[in-house]
Amino acid sequence: MIGELLESQPEIALFASLALGYLIGSFRIGPIQLGGVCGTLILSLLIGQTGAHLA
């Protein structure tokens, strides 16, 4: 269901990866904090596995 939505509306995948990645990057686990860029990259890789393509 989510994969179909992201395939039909790739803009949602783009902005979701930016927003949620920044949110994930702000969490601190002990002395480690990923940061907004790293969180966005990790989440973008996960969203890319659903088949969403920005063409």
Side-chain angles (χ1 to χ4, degrees):
M1 180 174 152
I2 293 176
E4 294 172 7
L5 174 68
L6 295 178
E7 285 179 18
S8 65
Q9 300 291 326
E11 301 87 19
I12 294 175
L14 174 67
F15 290 113
S17 65
L18 289 173
L20 295 175
Y22 187 77
L23 180 68
I24 289 173
S26 67
F27 290 126
R28 181 178 295 273
I29 301 172
I32 299 171
Q33 183 177 6
L34 293 176
V37 174
C38 188
T40 302
L41 288 173
I42 291 170
L43 196 67
S44 297
L45 287 172
L46 292 175
I47 289 177
Q49 293 300 310
T50 65
H53 296 288
L54 295 175

